[in-house]
Amino acid sequence: MRIDRRALPGLPMFAAVSLLLQVWGASEAVAAERRFLIDFGDGPTATPGWNNIHFGSTGSSLSNLVDSAGTGSGLSLQITDGFWQGWTGAYNGGGTTASTVYPASATRDTFFIGTNEGTTDTQAQVRLSGLAINGTYSLRFYASRMAGDTADRTTRYTVGAQAVELQATNNIDGVVQLTNLVPSNGALDITVTMKPGAIFGYLGVLEVIEQDGGVVVNQPPVVNAGADRTVPLPTNAVALQQSFSDPEGQATTFVWTQVSGPTTARLYQNPWTPLVASNLAQGTYVFRLTVTDALGASASDDVSVAVVPSTGSGTPFLRTLTEKSVTASGKVIHYYESLPRGYNTDPNRKWPVIVFHHGVGEKGSTPESLPSVLGNMTLVRDNVPLEFDINGVTESFIVMIPQLHGNYGDWQDFFTQAMIDSAKTNLRADADRVYLMGFSLGAFHAWSFPQRSDANARQIAAIVPFSGGRVYSVNGVSQICRLATEDVPVWTFHAADDGTVHVSYTDAAVNGLNACSPAPDPAPRYTRPATGNHWIIGSGASPTQPAANNIYHWMLSHRRVSTPPNPPLTPRSLTPRMTTVPKLWNGQLGYYESLPRGYDADPSRQWPLLIFLHGLGERGNGTTELSRVLRHGVPAQINAGNPLEFVVNGVTESFVVLAPQLGESGSSWHPYLVERLLDVAQTSYRINPKRVYLTGLSLGGFGTTAFVELSLANAQRIAAIAPTDGAHYGGIVWTPDLNNVTTNACYLAQADVKVWQFYGKNDGGWAWTATDFVTRLNACAPPSPTVVTRYDDLGHEAYTRAYYTDHTYHSPNLYEWLLAQQRP
């Protein structure tokens, strides 16, 4: 980044100052007294020599204020905290027309604060900027409300440590004044409040009196074109995050230009979005942001964008953003495709898809107009990774953003279908997790696409419309209930004060859906704040919202239920086996081997391994008493007929499960027992060594953590553990060959073993071992967060919920979470 403010070294002081003033358009004024008259209220005034501001909302402003003689200046005024509700009509037209101090056009209307229509606004603020850096000012205030009563409407005007009060009720000629005010950095901030006990406060006229003007020097804007960027192909578009301000608060204009680099770039800019540079090729580009204030002072800043070759199979360090096109229904649809970080690292992983539909203002039909669709999809535009930790599983999305042709008044189904088909055909898209988002006109379509046919609805896992709703009808018959019968969940957002699309559209859609029989399950979720206007998408779509209010967490919790594939050739097995443990005097270890369905169908496939360690009550001789192992936990689920099959990242997965039995005399699960099972598994089964998991309950929970705490080598064999109802304690494990070995929870952190700990709050005997283990582990600063589930209503029975195979208690469940973990 390089900033250019046109510094001119080497000139004599006088020449340098003179030239700077010419180049920057700086004004120099030695002060005679000047007066500036400002009218706050409804409609532009025709009074000569006056400045009128008739919008009371935050951000409303006037630049280049004229003085009482009609001469322009560098002064600006901005409302930094809006009057009542920040509404543009926050004025009262009941002022006097009989004042001898100011004309009726200025006295008959005022902005106000107070309680109106059930909403209270007790403060407003106005900033004057561009004032002389060594000047002295007075401010004179006037307000009138001819109420015909004696209600207290005393208004307080405060600047710094000074304050004055004015009773506006029935006021005709009364004014109040603050004097000897010295600007701070060329600005004065005025706060308007009510005297305690007053019911309203007003501001109708502000008179600015420059008493000792000094020299006004116009300073150039402060410009930042953002940090230099490096993007890997296939990304061929980038949004540049501009920021700028003017020291005097003047109005500014800006322009982006290309300074150097390949000639392929297309630059798209408008007042509401950053610059989008698209059609990029390999090479280094330099783009320049130039900002000019109202008096002609300007400043520039450069930003470099290096476009580098594809990262190939490695992990992209940025989310991609690629311009593409596809032909559907005889139309060329231009769209952006955005792939998540890590898309290329796992060729078997499938990803959820968001199709985003823009509003009416972003229509177009050429590559040059495509960047306008990024205006509301700020997440992709601003290069946010769009990643979410769902119980320890990092999830993200493929995002498809089509542009509606300018000659269409509404979105057509073929635009959406083309995006879904492209994602399924060309990308590793999870067909059961396709979500529709839409803003304004796009929100109407997000509602109507799944209403129009069963085939449409059965492709959609959930919809999230913002600022628009629609009940689609055929021959006068509403189709809204198709969302209920075809199980398409809805979370919709619409602000009650939306002045562009009335909230009644979404009200009707939600009410219609709630009236369906059978009722939609889940019921539609409706976020309907009182304020937010049409742009509620800015907050509602924010990825930083807490999980309970996060639309991406919510979307990821919903998927279509696909027709299951044909049954594998073999059912899940449950077979008794026996081995010896050489490092424990060749003692025998009986265990159940459970192979997943279809294990024999693909002799090249490697499977995840899950080892389950039972509790104290299930000990036995490993042969005739082995069935005790089937009482609880993972073996109990298998014995009940559960195939332990789960869809994770779009792929149906399962485990090889080994469930050993500890001898009757065994007081603990020795790490050497687990070590022996791992060795047997690696030599006897087709195991993926990067996906080995260990879990156990009670005594088995102690053994689970003890194994990975015994040595770094042990920890490096395990991708994730899930102890329930306890964890290893005491700090020492005795071994026949090494004597006492001090255990260390930091081995888990060093090996990045993922952990999900379960326990009951009321487990008076062993809950402390779980919390102690978690504390010791977290003290080692593990790179992955430790997941902890505490059941506040349970004692020593956390395992009764931890091993559920559905989503009764957890989403994802334990098995889905384990399957998502993998060693590097």
Side-chain angles (χ1 to χ4, degrees), residues 41 112 141 283 339 469 494 527 552 587 603-604 699 787 808:
F112 73 93
F141 302 92
L339 301 180
H494 208 144
T527 299
Y552 308 98
S604 64
L699 188 66
V787 184
T808 301

Side-chain angles (χ1 to χ4, degrees), residues 356 376-380 384 386 388 437-439 464 466 493 535-545 549-552 555:
F356 179 82
N376 295 315
M377 195 56 182
T378 56
L379 300 171
V380 173
V384 176
L386 209 61
F388 306 92
M437 285 180 64
F439 170 66
V464 184
F466 289 87
F493 294 73
W535 309 103
I536 191 174
I537 187 172
S539 58
S542 170
T544 60
Q545 291 279 9
N549 299 318
N550 190 297
I551 62 170
Y552 308 98
M555 282 190 281

Side-chain angles (χ1 to χ4, degrees), residues 470-481:
R470 176 177 286 163
V471 176
Y472 176 72
S473 298
V474 176
N475 297 324
V477 179
S478 167
Q479 305 297 302
I480 192 72
C481 290

